[in-house]
C-alpha cells in the first residue's frame, strides 16, 4: 500500500549537455512518453501520473523553463544545488530566488558527489533543504552508505545519522528522500531491488511516515526499472547516466508499460 504517495522519476544530468544536446534530447524523448505518463493542462490532475523531473545544469534552466511551457504539466525542472542565502558573496553558488525565476520545482541536495568533492556536510545539507522549502522547491535529499560502511555492517546507522542530522528542525511534508548507496552510483552495480526496498523501509521507520516519497538511485537502467518500481517502498527513482539518453530515460519513465511505437 503506498498511501497515495507521489511517484517521481527524476533524471540527474549532472555536468552534461550543451543547449543543442538538451534540445535534441527533448525532441527524441517527449514523443516516446506513454499517454498514461503525461498530464496536460486541460486534464484533471491525477496523483497516479508520476512527476518526471529533469535536474539540469544551471545554464539549461532558462531554456527548459521556456520549452517546457509546451510540454506535459508533469514534466518538471529540477536543479542540482541551492545555497541557503538569497544573495551574497558566494562565488559559484545559486540561490532559491534565482531558481524560482525558472520555475524550478525540485532540487537535489546532499548528493554524494557534492558531499565528496565539494565538502557538503550534514549541516550545509540541512541549510540547503531549509532554503529549498522556504522557496517552495521540493528538496530531494540524497543519503547513502559507502561500500566500506556496508561491508562493516553500519549501512543503516549511516542512513539514520545522515537523516537525523540533516533533518533536525525540518518539516518533512515537502521533502523527498533518495536512497543512493555510494557504491551503486555510476558503477553499474545496482543495489538489489529487495535490498533497496529494505533500506527504504528503514528510512521510513526513522522518519515515522508512510506518506513521504522515497526514491532509489544508483545505476538505474531500462533493464532494472520494472523490478525496482515493483517494490512497495520504492516510489520512484533518481537516474544519472541513463537519463542522458532519450530512449533509455523514456523507457524508465514508461516503467511497467508496453514500449510505445518507435
Ligand atoms: P547513476 O547516477 O544512475 O549514473 O548511477 C545516479 C545519481 O548519481 O544520482
Amino acid at each position: 500500500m503506498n498511501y497515495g504517495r507521489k511517484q517521481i522519476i527524476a533524471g540527474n544530468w549532472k555536468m552534461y549537455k550543451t543547449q543543442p544536446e538538451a534540445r535534441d534530447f527533448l525532441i527524441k524523448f517527449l514523443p516516446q512518453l506513454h499517454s498514461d505518463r503525461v498530464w496536460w493542462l486541460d486534464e484533471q490532475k491525477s496523483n497516479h501520473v508520476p512527476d518526471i523531473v529533469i535536474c539540469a545544469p544551471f545554464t539549461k534552466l532558462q531554456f527548459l523553463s521556456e520549452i517546457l511551457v509546451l510540454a506535459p504539466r508533469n514534466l518538471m525542472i529540477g536543479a542540482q544545488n541551492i545555497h541557503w542565502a538569497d544573495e551574497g558573496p558566494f562565488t559559484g553558488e545559486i540561490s532559491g530566488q534565482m531558481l524560482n525565476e525558472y520555475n524550478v520545482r525540485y532540487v537535489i541536495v546532499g548528493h554524494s558527489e557534492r558531499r565528496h568533492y565539494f565538502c557538503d556536510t550534514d549541516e550545509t545539507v540541512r541549510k540547503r533543504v531549509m532554503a529549498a522549502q522556504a522557496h517552495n522547491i521540493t528538496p530531494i535529499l540524497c543519503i547513502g552508505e559507502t561500500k566500506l560502511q556496508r561491508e562493516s555492517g553500519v549501512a543503516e546507522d549511516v542512513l539514520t545519522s545522515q537523516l537525523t542530522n540533516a533533518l533536525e528542525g525540518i518539516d518533512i511534508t515537502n521533502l523527498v528522500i533518495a536512497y543512493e548507496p555510494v557504491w551503486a552510483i555510476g558503477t553499474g552495480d545496482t543495489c538489489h531491488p529487495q535490498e533497496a526496498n529494505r533500506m527504504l523501509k528503514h528510512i521510513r521507520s526513522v522518519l515515522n511516515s508512510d506518506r513521504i516519497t522515497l526514491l532509489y538511485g544508483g545505476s538505474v537502467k531500462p533493464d532494472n526499472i520494472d523490478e525496482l518500481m515493483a517494490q512497495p517502498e520504492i516510489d520512484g527513482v533518481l537516474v544519472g547516466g541513463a537519463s542522458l539518453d532519450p530512449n533509455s530515460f523514456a523507457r524508465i519513465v514508461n516503467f511497467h508499460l508496453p514500449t510505445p511505437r518507435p
Side-chain angles (χ1 to χ4, degrees):
M1 163 127 191
N2 100 338
Y3 294 88
R5 295 190 295 263
K6 177 100 229 150
Q7 289 189 322
I8 300 171
I9 307 292
N12 175 9
W13 278 1
K14 308 194 181 186
M15 199 174 70
Y16 290 99
K17 289 203 191 295
T18 60
Q19 189 149 314
E21 286 167 348
R23 183 181 297 112
D24 191 53
F25 173 94
L26 290 174
I27 289 168
K28 292 179 176 145
F29 172 69
L30 291 172
Q32 296 190 58
L33 294 180
H34 196 284
S35 56
D36 286 3
R37 291 293 142 83
V38 292
W39 167 54
W40 294 94
L41 194 54
D42 52 345
E43 289 175 341
Q44 191 85 26
K45 184 170 170 39
S46 159
N47 214 29
H48 301 300
V49 180
D51 282 359
I52 304 165
V53 187
I54 295 179
C55 299
F58 299 137
T59 55
K60 301 295 113 42
L61 298 181
Q62 178 168 7
F63 164 72
L64 286 176
S65 72
E66 286 165 5
I67 212 158
L68 294 189
V69 171
L70 302 169
R73 280 292 290 277
N74 60 314
L75 188 52
M76 296 177 183
I77 305 172
Q80 299 175 17
N81 194 14
I82 182 172
H83 194 267
W84 46 90
D86 271 351
E87 59 179 15
F90 302 110
T91 305
E93 289 283 330
I94 194 155
S95 74
Q97 66 177 13
M98 292 169 178
L99 298 179
N100 281 158
E101 289 185 284
Y102 299 116
N103 206 16
V104 168
R105 304 284 294 278
Y106 289 91
V107 61
I108 298 172
V109 173
H111 191 282
S112 66
E113 287 154 13
R114 297 290 318 169
R115 293 180 194 255
H116 184 71
Y117 299 118
F118 303 102
C119 305
D120 246 339
T121 62
D122 285 342
E123 178 53 13
T124 58
V125 166
R126 191 182 69 80
K127 287 157 90 173
R128 295 184 200 279
V129 166
M130 275 178 99
Q133 291 180 331
H135 289 88
N136 220 8
I137 299 170
T138 304
I140 301 176
L141 168 62
C142 301
I143 57 172
E145 80 286 356
T146 62
K147 192 158 200 77
L148 189 62
Q149 288 165 332
R150 171 159 283 262
E151 285 166 358
S152 323
V154 295
E156 286 93 332
D157 298 339
V158 170
L159 299 191
T160 305
S161 135
Q162 287 179 333
L163 279 174
T164 46
N165 292 335
L167 295 181
E168 204 188 323
I170 300 276
D171 167 16
I172 63 164
T173 52
N174 182 24
L175 178 74
V176 171
I177 308 283
Y179 168 55
E180 295 213 311
V182 178
W183 47 270
I185 296 177
T187 57
D189 189 11
T190 319
C191 184
H192 192 282
Q194 276 148 28
E195 175 59 7
N197 191 65
R198 194 181 69 79
M199 295 301 271
L200 263 55
K201 215 173 200 159
H202 172 73
I203 293 171
R204 215 176 273 298
S205 75
V206 173
L207 297 174
N208 194 20
S209 168
D210 284 322
R211 300 196 172 268
I212 187 164
T213 291
L214 300 183
L215 312 183
Y216 166 77
S219 297
V220 175
K221 304 274 182 249
D223 61 9
N224 57 32
I225 184 65
D226 289 341
E227 201 183 345
L228 285 165
M229 290 303 289
Q231 304 301 317
E233 302 295 341
I234 299 183
D235 305 314
V237 284
L238 180 55
V239 189
S243 74
L244 295 170
D245 176 73
N247 302 330
S248 62
F249 194 48
R251 172 64 185 87
I252 288 169
V253 171
N254 292 334
F255 66 92
H256 293 169
L257 290 170
T259 313
R261 75 213 172 281

